[in-house]
Amino acid sequence: ESSLFDCAHDPVHNCAHFEDAGVSCGSINCNNSDVRLVNGFTDYEGRVEVCLNGVWGTVCDDFWSTNDAVVVCNQLNISSANAIALGSAYFGPGTGVINM
């Protein structure tokens, strides 16, 4: 199938949100200095993760500032007009390495 809607499914269900489906398609290769936002409520916010040596990792909030938030938004081609620096794992703690 080329679309999830082409897969067999029953339009009548007894599911609750604790049964929401997920997917892991394996590891996603990244290039050094790539940046992404993870676990946000929208595509325009989230925990900042950076790629270093082909591995995604988190960024420590020590000395994290609005200027840093502006740089991340700009790097992601998102307007930085309302950029806000958030710390203390506001979007949940990451796992794995801390790259910065």
Side-chain angles (χ1 to χ4, degrees), residues 42-85:
T42 71
D43 292 338
Y44 306 106
E45 63 184 8
R47 181 179 59 253
V48 178
E49 294 189 354
V50 296
C51 179
L52 183 62
N53 299 321
V55 177
W56 287 108
T58 58
V59 176
C60 180
D61 67 0
D62 291 355
F63 309 107
W64 191 244
S65 71
T66 299
N67 184 62
D68 299 310
V70 167
V71 170
V72 168
C73 293
N74 289 337
Q75 189 169 349
L76 293 171
N77 294 316
I78 300 171
S79 172
S80 61
N82 297 311
I84 300 171

